């Protein structure tokens, strides 16, 4: 059974940093692109970042470029999101998701982890 | 950036109703369009990918159609468990984008 489990969320002050993790099981992480998606309270979904199977390609939404870094450790079956210079508008539930074969969807999602940026 | 506009943003319907949600893209996305269902406090769940392919395990009352810039999600006979928010997503080009969502509530 495919499972994605996020961790690392919490309360952080503006300007602070946080590292999110996503533990993958039930499939070979090394064969899939992976993504982070966020959802601010009461708002819609926003794609944040993608990473290729071997980590050689990374893409970000403009609002996080230069502040967030997506990475992966296929040997540990883990995906990460390093978040620096956090702002109030980064407050959201962060989901990791698997990009399905054929680049046609995000076919599996984790349960999400809440990041709150507030003083 | 490709903008996805969903309509309506809110829909009130009864059990058994046929419901159609539209997603319009500001540029062509070929068939790189997916639909998700999200219930409160839960992660999104994939319903349709490649514009019209039903994800395994999803009831056949859900269907998708369209290509290019106009897409629809149809629920042929709304069931109590279908009351949720629905999102479209394009995977044609970066940045990947989602529609604003359509909330389906009980009339």
């Amino acid at each position: 059974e495919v499972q994605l489990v996020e961790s690392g969320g919490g309360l952080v002050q503006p300007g602070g940093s946080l590292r999110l993790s996503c533990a993958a099981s039930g499939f070979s992480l090394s064969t899939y692109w992976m993504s982070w998606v966020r959802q601010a309270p009461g708002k819609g979904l926003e794609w944040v970042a993608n990473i290729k199977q071997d980590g050689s390609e990374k893409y970000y939404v403009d609002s996080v470029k230069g502040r967030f870094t997506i990475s992966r450790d296929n040997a540990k079956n883990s995906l990460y999101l390093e978040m620096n210079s956090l702002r109030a508008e980064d407050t959201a539930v962060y989901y990791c998701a698997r990009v399905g074969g054929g680049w046609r969807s995000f076919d599996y999602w984790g349960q999400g982890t809440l990041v709150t940026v507030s003083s | 950036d490709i903008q996805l506009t969903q309509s309506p943003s809110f829909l009130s319907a009864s059990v058994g109703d046929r419901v159609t949600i539209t997603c319009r893209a500001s540029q062509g996305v070929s068939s790189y369009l997916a639909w998700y269902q999200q219930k409160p406090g839960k992660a999104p769940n994939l319903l349709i990918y490649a514009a019209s392919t039903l994800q395994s395990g999803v009831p056949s009352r859900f269907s998708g159609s369209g290509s290019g810039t106009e897409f629809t999600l149809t629920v042929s006979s709304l069931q109590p468990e279908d009351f949720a928010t629905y999102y479209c997503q394009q995977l044609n080009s970066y940045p990947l984008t989602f529609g604003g969502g359509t909330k389906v509530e009980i009339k």
Side-chain angles (χ1 to χ4, degrees):
Chain A
E1 178 193 5
V2 171
Q3 281 200 319
L4 297 168
V5 180
E6 302 93 337
S7 60
L11 175 64
V12 60
Q13 292 189 337
S17 299
L18 213 54
R19 188 196 200 204
L20 305 184
S21 299
C22 172
S25 61
F27 69 102
S28 177
L29 184 68
S30 63
T31 61
Y32 289 89
W33 281 77
M34 295 296 293
S35 294
W36 287 98
V37 176
R38 67 184 178 182
Q39 186 169 38
K43 302 297 184 183
L45 301 170
E46 180 183 38
W47 169 77
V48 173
N50 266 22
I51 185 168
K52 194 176 179 179
Q53 289 91 330
D54 61 359
S56 62
E57 294 182 35
K58 303 176 184 182
Y59 300 89
Y60 301 91
V61 68
D62 281 351
S63 59
V64 308
K65 282 180 184 174
R67 300 189 300 122
F68 289 14
T69 302
I70 188 172
S71 63
R72 63 195 297 161
D73 185 336
N74 290 334
K76 293 184 178 180
N77 292 314
S78 292
L79 176 73
Y80 306 102
L81 187 67
E82 186 78 36
M83 304 185 294
N84 298 316
S85 303
L86 283 161
R87 307 166 180 166
E89 54 265 34
D90 296 318
T91 294
V93 173
Y94 285 74
Y95 298 99
C96 65
R98 190 179 84 170
V99 182
W103 195 253
R104 300 290 185 170
S105 68
F106 289 3
D107 59 356
Y108 287 93
W109 298 63
Q111 85 289 350
T113 187
L114 176 62
V115 173
T116 303
V117 184
S118 174
S119 54
Chain B
D1 297 6
I2 297 176
Q3 315 299 324
L4 297 180
T5 303
Q6 284 184 236
S7 59
S9 54
F10 176 84
L11 191 159
S12 182
S14 301
V15 172
D17 282 354
R18 180 182 181 88
V19 166
T20 298
I21 298 169
T22 297
C23 177
R24 289 188 174 87
S26 59
Q27 304 171 41
V29 299
S30 184
S31 61
Y32 290 91
L33 195 288
W35 289 96
Y36 302 89
Q37 177 193 67
Q38 187 180 35
K39 296 181 179 179
K42 300 294 187 181
N45 181 52
L46 175 65
L47 299 175
I48 301 286
Y49 64 93
S52 60
T53 304
L54 192 68
Q55 171 71 345
S56 175
V58 174
S60 59
R61 62 181 179 272
F62 290 93
S63 63
S65 64
S67 67
T69 61
E70 187 148 340
F71 302 85
T72 59
L73 172 70
T74 299
V75 186
S76 60
S77 178
L78 206 62
Q79 297 302 299
E81 60 268 29
D82 301 336
F83 292 94
T85 301
Y86 294 84
Y87 295 94
C88 57
Q89 179 203 25
Q90 66 84 17
L91 296 95
N92 183 73
S93 62
Y94 287 110
L96 307 184
T97 48
F98 291 89
T102 296
K103 187 173 184 179
V104 178
E105 290 199 343
I106 302 173
K107 183 182 286 184

